[in-house]
Amino acid sequence: MTTKEIESFLFKHFSQNDYRISNSYIFNWESDFFCISRSGYSIEVEIKVSVSDFKADFKKDLKHQILAKPNKIHVEPGHESNFGWTFEGLFGDKKSYILKAPSQSVSFIKGLDNCPNRFYYCMPQEIAEKVQIPSYAGLIVPDNPRNYILKNAPLLHKQKNDLTKVLLDKFYYAYHNYRLKYSM
């Protein structure tokens, strides 16, 4: 299966959900697929088409540390955080931390605002059989005829984030590009 085929599957599979969007920065990383459930929880799905693609995802230390313990972020000025990130200062709103992960560039963290409520991996059956899904993630296999969801994603936190501004920006950008493309 290709990435596009999996993406098409996800749009159909999550058709009852709101704000389905692909390849966009909703949190501090690019989400392959994102939507909001009827109950108001955000869902992120990471698409993988090879074992090496899956393994490469774990080079994103900061993302996986946040997903593993989304409500455990703690840092004080002049100290390292409980994940080894270095405190770089406060962002403009004076509530968001500017942190630097040991292996990544500066990232902005604002508690649970930067973490989906549920996180899934979606990959073909042949890949799913060769990898181990972390405890904080679910597993969707689009080419499994019996059951697409092989592992339900746990609820990482119960906070329902107001992502209206972020999503409006994404949809406006897409609309603007669409108009430019088809007005010529």
Side-chain angles (χ1 to χ4, degrees):
M1 291 190 91
T2 67
T3 301
K4 287 291 181 196
E5 290 171 330
I6 294 173
E7 189 178 284
S8 177
F9 165 82
L10 290 171
F11 271 88
K12 291 175 191 167
H13 181 72
F14 288 102
S15 64
Q16 300 300 311
N17 294 23
D18 295 327
Y19 311 112
R20 295 172 295 152
I21 187 170
S22 61
N23 300 319
S24 196
Y25 283 83
I26 306 297
F27 305 106
N28 282 338
W29 53 81
E30 185 176 20
S31 300
D32 291 339
F33 179 85
F34 171 87
C35 64
I36 297 180
S37 70
R38 294 277 179 184
S39 59
Y41 289 133
S42 58
I43 299 168
E44 179 183 348
V45 182
E46 185 72 25
I47 298 171
K48 297 297 167 197
V49 294
S50 71
V51 173
S52 61
D53 185 20
F54 178 80
K55 288 179 179 177
D57 193 55
F58 292 91
K59 292 179 182 175
K60 303 170 189 169
D61 298 336
L62 186 60
K63 172 184 174 179
H64 290 282
Q65 289 176 1
I66 291 169
L67 290 169
K69 297 184 180 187
N71 56 357
K72 302 290 185 203
I73 297 169
H74 177 73
V75 67
E76 294 178 21
H79 297 87
E80 276 192 359
S81 75
N82 55 333
F83 290 121
W85 306 330
T86 307
F87 182 85
E88 298 279 316
L90 291 172
F91 196 54
D93 64 6
K94 303 298 183 205
K95 296 176 185 173
S96 301
Y97 303 129
I98 302 175
L99 303 175
K100 185 172 184 181
S103 63
Q104 295 178 328
S105 60
V106 173
S107 296
F108 303 99
I109 306 298
K110 187 180 178 185
L112 301 176
D113 290 352
N114 285 320
C115 180
N117 296 98
R118 295 189 190 275
F119 178 78
Y120 284 93
Y121 280 102
C122 185
M123 62 188 72
Q125 181 74 40
E126 65 184 39
I127 307 302
E129 293 170 355
K130 298 176 184 174
V131 299
Q132 185 172 353
I133 304 300
S135 61
Y136 54 82
L139 175 61
I140 301 171
V141 179
D143 57 347
N144 185 331
R146 289 183 169 190
N147 186 12
Y148 296 125
I149 298 181
L150 294 187
K151 180 184 174 199
N152 282 314
L155 189 61
L156 300 176
H157 60 88
K158 293 182 179 182
Q159 179 177 318
K160 294 179 182 178
N161 297 323
D162 182 8
L163 297 169
T164 306
K165 168 111 175 67
V166 172
L167 293 171
L168 280 173
D169 286 348
K170 304 300 174 194
F171 290 121
Y172 172 77
Y173 179 77
Y175 168 77
H176 182 69
N177 283 342
Y178 176 83
R179 294 238 6 222
L180 284 175
K181 182 177 178 180
Y182 291 102
S183 68
M184 296 182 155

